[in-house]
Amino acid sequence: MSKIWFVSSNEHKYGEARRILARMGMGISHHRASLPEVQSHSLEEIALAKAASARSLVGGAVLVEDDGLFIDSLKGFPGPYSSYVFDTIGNAGILSLVRGDRTASFRSVVAYADDSRTAAFKGEVRGRIADAIRGSGWGYDPVFIPDGAGGTFAQIDKDQLSHRGEALAAFARWYGDGRPPLDASPA
Ligand code: IMP
């Protein structure tokens, strides 16, 4: 297997991706870089644009990821703008906006590109927004409770059931046998 560079400025994302893929027998290396994010309503479009930037920066085989927290009662907000919203109003701001229906989903799109192939893979976990900050994880982890779990992402072993895990599993299956699974979206 040739080296795959996971290009991201986010150590947490890389750490999770490394552990998740290691369990599937795949290794990745970290290239720390902040990639430009195109403005789009589509995580897939953003991830594919990031993959193209990563290719011009690093060359070789690259893997990138874009995520979003989609809150049903806020019509999917913050969605593709999750990073900006986290940096501005943060988890306290999210908690103050959610009233009544607390259901939400966390979505991930990972995009892979090398000299001859480009493909994107989706993962989604349904859950709900906690009533208060619970635990001390990164990003939105302390406010997102996945369905079936007894606590927020910050309070459980999220690698087993995360949006990132699902997208990376689809990628690993495709990378292993060269065929896109039905739930993936090869570009
Ligand atoms: P982006 O994919 O880097 O644009 O991330 C979108 C936002 O969601 C950022 O604020 C991240 O910190 C946050 N985020 C992405 N994935 C996770 C996660 O697994 N847990 C908690 N926050 C996350």
Side-chain angles (χ1 to χ4, degrees):
M1 185 176 84
S2 59
K3 192 168 195 150
I4 299 175
W5 290 103
F6 188 90
V7 185
S8 171
S9 59
N10 187 323
E11 299 285 338
H12 302 285
K13 269 191 196 182
Y14 169 67
E16 289 183 17
R18 185 180 50 72
R19 285 197 304 270
I20 290 165
L21 288 172
R23 274 208 305 270
M24 300 171 203
M26 289 185 73
I28 50 173
S29 304
H30 194 188
H31 184 97
R32 277 174 205 79
S34 185
L35 297 167
E37 264 195 38
V38 296
Q39 213 173 23
S40 164
H41 291 319
S42 155
L43 293 184
E44 188 173 354
E45 209 175 293
I46 299 169
L48 287 168
K50 277 189 184 177
S53 311
R55 283 270 304 152
S56 39
L57 188 70
V58 187
V62 297
L63 194 61
V64 299
E65 188 192 3
D66 202 67
D67 308 282
L69 176 66
F70 294 74
I71 301 174
D72 297 350
S73 61
L74 303 179
K75 301 191 188 312
F77 177 87
Y81 309 103
S82 293
S83 183
Y84 178 74
V85 169
F86 185 79
D87 291 343
T88 50
I89 63 172
N91 284 330
I94 289 291
L95 290 176
S96 71
L97 289 174
V98 180
R99 296 273 174 270
D101 175 17
R102 309 189 76 81
T103 57
S105 55
F106 229 130
R107 295 183 200 151
S108 162
V109 175
V110 297
Y112 170 85
D114 63 19
D115 290 342
S116 57
R117 306 180 289 176
T118 299
F121 305 88
K122 296 175 187 171
E124 175 170 5
V125 169
R126 293 284 305 160
R128 65 184 195 280
I129 303 299
D131 56 358
I133 290 173
R134 305 268 177 222
S136 55
W138 63 283
Y140 295 108
D141 275 359
V143 297
F144 182 76
I145 304 173
D147 282 349
T152 64
F153 264 167
Q155 296 175 303
I156 63 168
D157 175 11
K158 69 185 278 210
D159 287 354
Q160 307 287 349
L161 70 155
S162 75
H163 50 309
R164 178 164 299 109
E166 193 175 297
L168 288 169
F171 160 67
R173 283 193 299 271
W174 171 81
Y175 192 86
D177 68 12
R179 278 182 295 114
L182 289 176
D183 60 352
S185 309

